[in-house]
Amino acid sequence: MKVYLENLTKKFPSRDKKSKEVIAVNDFTFEIPDGKLIGLLGPSGCGKSTALNLICGLQKPTSGKIYFGDDDVTDLAPEKRGVGLVFQNYALYPHLTVRQNIIFPLENLKGKDKLSKAQMNEKALEIAKLVQIDQLMDRKPSELSGGQQQRVAIARALVKMPRVLLLDEPLSNLDARLRLQTREEIKRIQQKTGITTVFVTHDQEEAMSISDMIVVMKDGVLQQIGKPQDVYDDPINLFVAKFLGTPPINVFDGEVRGGKLYVGNDCIMDADTYDRKVYVGIRPEGFVLDANGPLHCKLGRVEVMGRDISVVSENEHAHAVVRSIISAENKLDLASDEVRFSVKPFKVDVFDKETEMRIHLGGANG
Ligand code: ADP
Ligand code: MG
């Protein structure tokens, strides 16, 4: 089921004279394609949950429309929209067994949709198998691990075969390893069922790893939509560039002068644009150790990461310590005070200092 948001806006009025009105979702217009997994991504407080609540109907928009396929569902009650919801805090019924929790949404079906007990049990088992908790059907939630509880919550959201599955930070309560494992599971389940899914998270790595498309937002405003790799490679502005990637992109004060890009007095590459002050973003993997390289940094320490090494250095024009990721095969003179780099031009993004929008340099650099 394709979902289309049209000029969708949600304002929260100010609570008192001191506070301002909050525009939690500001004029969203975009399409969530049928059968895809979309990652809704941004820092805490940027409006992700509000956007999700508008899609499922728990909150009413201030203005704008929501379509499921060709149906305008803007004024439809949540239970009539055919959405499945999963939250961070599983929200299972503690006194019910796993089976009873999964069956619960089926018990209110009326008229021609009404199911017999046997049919409900059959559906519950089918979904439990899909999320791999079918051996746990008679346990209570308190007898399950966090990961298992979240699977039950996912099973409960899926049992009515929703048109759209909405997940709000579903992995936040899990420890690091379970988080990794469960996100793979969610991807597998989504691909198997083909249900259009919106996955909300503040964790860029999580969103990048499982989403067909990511939607990056900031302060209620949509910044960029695209395939994870495309957004990473072609960020529209400094915010998006800094939000995606670990370690994060390294930002320097720089300047375009006479067709060249400078960090301080170091001319690091060609820049086919007019002269101005800029921010220079260099991805950690964009540095090349080079004894004659143009970029001079003060060597800090080296962190071994197995296949790669992370060289931490300093540059007076950098906004923070400079983190570069270099293949471990490279030999670095640790006794030296200085480390010199050349850069991979396609790993360098340049931003206007006023607007913080990306400047396209043309030629080989896109
Ligand atoms: P996120 O899920 O990205 O952390 P939210 O959607 O929860 O963000 O919140 C977005 C903004 O809207 C925040 O500034 C938050 O304080 C505000 N907000 C959310 N819900 C309400 C509400 N019911 N009343 C007033 N302000 C709200
Ligand atoms: Mg939230």
Side-chain angles (χ1 to χ4, degrees):
M1 177 68 53
K2 172 179 93 179
V3 175
Y4 184 66
L5 311 182
E6 189 179 81
N7 304 114
L8 195 66
T9 296
K10 178 68 177 178
K11 296 180 183 174
F12 293 110
S14 57
R15 289 210 187 80
D16 49 57
K17 288 207 178 84
K18 276 187 216 143
S19 64
K20 284 203 307 194
E21 171 189 77
V22 174
I23 308 179
V25 172
N26 195 341
D27 199 21
F28 271 27
T29 299
F30 64 90
E31 181 182 300
I32 301 168
D34 181 34
K36 298 289 187 208
L37 194 161
I38 301 304
L40 199 54
L41 177 63
S44 177
C46 74
K48 302 181 297 294
S49 294
T50 305
L52 207 72
N53 290 341
L54 293 173
I55 296 172
C56 76
L58 288 175
Q59 289 181 323
K60 284 228 160 286
T62 309
S63 57
K65 298 238 175 264
I66 302 162
Y67 296 90
F68 284 8
D70 294 326
D71 303 340
D72 179 350
V73 301
T74 315
D75 296 317
L76 212 58
E79 61 275 13
K80 300 234 169 88
R81 292 191 187 190
V83 291
L85 278 172
V86 178
F87 298 104
Q88 175 177 347
N89 59 348
Y90 331 124
L92 299 174
Y93 302 107
H95 58 289
L96 300 182
T97 64
V98 167
R99 179 182 288 103
Q100 290 166 330
N101 265 285
I102 299 174
I103 283 177
F104 194 83
L106 300 176
E107 289 185 326
N108 305 320
L109 294 175
K110 304 248 160 49
K112 65 172 174 44
D113 296 329
K114 196 169 166 50
L115 299 176
S116 71
K117 196 86 203 162
Q119 286 171 317
M120 286 195 258
N121 278 326
E122 195 182 323
K123 273 194 188 279
L125 186 62
E126 192 185 318
I127 290 294
K129 280 188 178 150
L130 177 69
V131 305
Q132 297 176 340
I133 47 164
D134 48 306
Q135 319 84 343
L136 308 172
M137 295 298 263
D138 296 312
R139 295 212 198 159
K140 296 273 175 66
S142 61
E143 297 163 330
L144 303 176
S145 71
Q148 290 167 336
Q149 290 185 47
Q150 194 54 298
R151 282 168 196 242
V152 178
I154 293 168
R156 188 179 56 182
L158 286 175
V159 74
K160 278 197 343 200
M161 277 300 154
R163 302 200 283 178
V164 181
L165 179 65
L166 303 169
L167 305 139
D168 193 349
E169 312 244 9
L171 309 180
S172 299
N173 282 5
L174 306 179
D175 66 49
R177 245 186 67 201
L178 257 180
R179 212 153 53 217
L180 262 170
Q181 196 186 339
T182 313
R183 85 184 188 204
E184 297 304 322
E185 276 294 285
I186 289 175
K187 181 73 185 172
R188 180 185 63 81
I189 294 162
Q190 192 274 330
Q191 284 183 326
K192 187 127 191 230
T193 58
I195 295 176
T196 307
T197 300
V198 183
F199 183 101
V200 161
T201 177
H202 63 273
D203 181 335
Q204 56 88 24
E205 196 204 330
E206 197 168 283
M208 299 261 284
S209 66
I210 63 166
S211 305
D212 296 309
M213 251 171 56
I214 54 171
V215 176
V216 184
M217 34 187 311
K218 178 196 176 196
D219 298 337
V221 179
L222 197 157
Q223 306 288 303
Q224 192 167 2
I225 302 184
K227 291 184 182 154
Q229 190 70 47
D230 292 348
V231 179
Y232 180 83
D233 288 337
D234 278 319
I236 193 163
N237 59 27
L238 185 63
F239 172 81
V240 173
K242 283 164 79 170
F243 198 72
L244 300 184
T246 40
I249 196 164
N250 299 281
V251 183
F252 302 77
D253 291 313
E255 191 178 354
V256 174
R257 212 182 326 129
K260 305 280 181 197
L261 181 63
Y262 288 87
V263 169
N265 293 321
D266 298 342
C267 172
I268 63 166
M269 60 187 243
D270 291 339
D272 186 10
T273 184
Y274 61 86
D275 291 1
R276 63 187 126 166
K277 300 252 191 248
V278 295
Y279 292 121
V280 180
I282 308 178
R283 292 282 177 197
E285 66 275 23
F287 295 89
V288 180
L289 277 183
D290 180 352
N292 301 311
L295 184 64
H296 296 67
C297 293
K298 187 164 159 277
L299 183 58
R301 60 182 192 282
V302 171
E303 293 165 1
V304 178
M305 306 191 299
R307 193 164 50 90
D308 298 323
I309 53 174
S310 165
V311 179
V312 181
S313 60
E314 286 175 32
N315 180 291
E316 61 174 315
H317 305 284
H319 293 190
V321 292
V322 177
R323 290 182 182 278
S324 53
I325 308 270
I326 313 274
S327 163
E329 287 150 22
N330 282 289
K331 290 282 167 276
L332 188 63
D333 178 9
L334 291 170
S336 171
D337 290 339
E338 191 185 61
V339 56
R340 289 176 66 172
F341 299 106
S342 50
V343 298
K344 301 173 189 166
F346 62 99
K347 290 291 179 183
V348 179
D349 296 324
V350 178
F351 304 90
D352 186 280
K353 246 190 176 163
E354 299 285 311
T355 63
E356 300 193 353
M357 296 302 282
R358 167 103 177 277
I359 298 166
H360 288 268
L361 296 179
N365 309 317

